[in-house]
Amino acid sequence: MPGLEVPTWDPETAVLIGTILLEAIVLYVGYGGLERLFGPYLMRILVGGEASAQ
């Protein structure tokens, strides 16, 4: 029946998708770590006063 074929996975496509997902995870964790380290300091500079470190 037309339209019911299951597409086959190209290995290059699978590697590309895996690479993009890995990059997204690394960026998410990296930027989260930077925000945790420098966030309170930058908030004190930008907003002034004492920023609460939650």
Side-chain angles (χ1 to χ4, degrees):
M1 224 175 187
L4 295 179
E5 300 88 22
V6 176
T8 59
W9 275 91
D10 181 22
E12 290 179 11
T13 303
V15 169
L16 178 63
I17 291 171
T19 302
I20 292 170
L21 286 173
L22 180 63
E23 181 182 5
I25 292 168
V26 168
L27 288 173
Y28 181 79
V29 170
Y31 283 130
L34 287 175
E35 192 276 331
R36 201 173 256 235
L37 287 174
F38 296 110
Y41 173 71
L42 290 175
M43 288 303 291
R44 277 195 300 271
I45 290 173
L46 296 173
V47 176
E50 190 65 31
S52 63
Q54 296 178 358

